[in-house]
Amino acid sequence: MTEIVRVGIAGTGSYAPERVMKNDDFAKLVDTSDEWIVQRTGIRERRFVSEGENNSDLCMKAAAAAMEAAGVGPEDLDLIVVGTLTPDYLMPSVACLVQDRLGAKKAGAFDVAAACTGFLTALHTGEAFVGAGRAKCVLVIGAETLSRYLNMQDRTSCILFGDGAGAAVLRPWEQCEQGEVLRTILGADGSGFEFIHIPVGGAAIPHNHPDYDRDQHFITLRGREVFRFAVTKMSGLIAELTEGLDREEVGLVVPHQVNQRIIDSALERIDWDPEKVIVNIDRYGNTSAASVPLALDEALRGGRIEKGKHVVLVAFGAGLTWGGTLLRW
Ligand code: UT7
């Protein structure tokens, strides 16, 4: 019988592109205002990639920082998994571009498509490989260049998203003695696939199809429906992952940075202390698969995660998909 290996997060890293887009920049493009965006979402600014800068470039910067923190080199990597909905190309995966640019000669590489749940899906995949003894060192990344899929004439969606990347290196816990993955949850409900959707550009309606409409090659949202789903999921996942734990044992919740009001409503539902939650949506907006690892890396580097405390990661998004992870640092 296969022995289950305890898995830990040996190091994290993140990167956000340099180009800052402030709310006032959007007020020049659509009928909106800094006041509306701050009040309804908590976002003040977000980062967009520049021309020629791609998802794989963001991955490389986040990966370098995570690998340095973990003290591993490219030759140590057995597997690279990237959670993303905005790979450089439809084919091959962005993970393969990263594998080549890192020179990770013995690593397998693939992307996972789970939208905003992409990083947690990648993390749980990597954890399963290390946990089953099939890999000793896995690089997992969540990275997005969503700015390339925004309709800059649609005020209900273009103001929400930003670009970025976050990464983590997974190893057997004995080799890092931190960030042990204790519980994982993944779920999906594909009946809600149209809630957050890019209608054309896939193989159903490719660019040469008679119904191809350039204006639908963008993220479309049913914001209010997603809002309700998100509040229910976020509060439910935190409650489920922390069941049986004393609240004192939980040091930090790292939620998907979707909307300040969604986060506040979810915390209120379960009477959770907002001081024990990291929020950086004001500076990055919703970076989809990059949102949780960006915030986790900021929390770690900012000294907000104490040794011995539990850390909860939660995410949800298009699919619909959701995921949660309980760690002990
Ligand atoms: O990670 C998953 C992807 N994220 C999401 O799907 C986002 C989840 N949803 C949300 O964050 C919120 O629903 C939004 C921020 C998208 C919208 O906030 P809301 O409080 O739910 O606003 P609403 O959709 O109920 O719209 C209220 C009003 C509408 O005007 P009318 O119909 O009342 O006249 C909108 O047209 O606000 C209007 N509006 C705006 N006004 C100024 C919508 N977007 C804007 C805007 N600026 N950017």
Side-chain angles (χ1 to χ4, degrees), residues 45-67:
E45 60 185 47
R46 72 289 286 144
R47 306 294 184 88
F48 277 9
V49 281
S50 301
E51 214 181 314
E53 190 175 26
N54 290 314
N55 187 314
S56 56
D57 300 311
L58 310 188
C59 283
M60 287 301 292
K61 294 214 163 93
M67 289 165 66

Side-chain angles (χ1 to χ4, degrees), residues 30-33 36-37 40-41 116 155-157 159-161 195-196 221-224 226-227 256 258-259 261-262 286 288 316-318:
V30 288
D31 182 14
T32 192
S33 63
W36 192 96
I37 300 172
R40 296 291 183 118
T41 70
C116 302
R155 67 178 183 172
T156 66
S157 60
I159 52 115
L160 295 173
F161 297 97
F195 282 22
I196 316 165
L221 282 181
R222 296 200 340 221
R224 276 182 224 177
V226 178
F227 197 108
H256 174 37
V258 54
N259 179 323
R261 281 164 54 226
I262 291 175
N286 177 349
S288 183
F316 39 79

Side-chain angles (χ1 to χ4, degrees), residues 1 47 60 67 159 181 183 196-197 219 225 257 275 313 316-317:
M1 220 173 77
R47 306 294 184 88
M60 287 301 292
M67 289 165 66
I159 52 115
V181 183
R183 286 182 206 163
I196 316 165
H197 189 208
I219 293 182
E225 277 130 310
Q257 307 290 310
E275 292 288 313
L313 316 179
F316 39 79

Side-chain angles (χ1 to χ4, degrees), residues 155-178:
R155 67 178 183 172
T156 66
S157 60
C158 71
I159 52 115
L160 295 173
F161 297 97
D163 300 334
V169 173
L170 304 176
R171 304 191 78 188
W173 183 83
E174 277 73 19
Q175 287 169 25
C176 58
E177 298 197 353
Q178 60 172 24

Side-chain angles (χ1 to χ4, degrees), residues 87 134 139 145 181:
R134 303 280 166 89
L139 173 64
T145 49
V181 183

Side-chain angles (χ1 to χ4, degrees), residues 239-301:
E240 192 176 340
L241 286 162
T242 57
E243 207 183 314
L245 287 175
D246 184 353
R247 287 211 171 173
E248 287 304 304
E249 295 176 80
V250 183
L252 195 69
V253 171
V254 183
H256 174 37
Q257 307 290 310
V258 54
N259 179 323
Q260 180 74 57
R261 281 164 54 226
I262 291 175
I263 296 172
D264 291 346
S265 303
L267 299 180
E268 209 173 288
R269 267 192 178 203
I270 50 170
D271 194 22
W272 195 271
D273 178 3
E275 292 288 313
K276 285 189 170 188
V277 178
I278 181 160
V279 179
N280 62 12
I281 191 169
D282 53 321
R283 284 172 289 125
Y284 298 118
N286 177 349
T287 58
S288 183
S291 124
V292 167
L294 246 169
L296 174 65
D297 186 49
E298 270 200 12
L300 269 169
R301 287 173 196 266

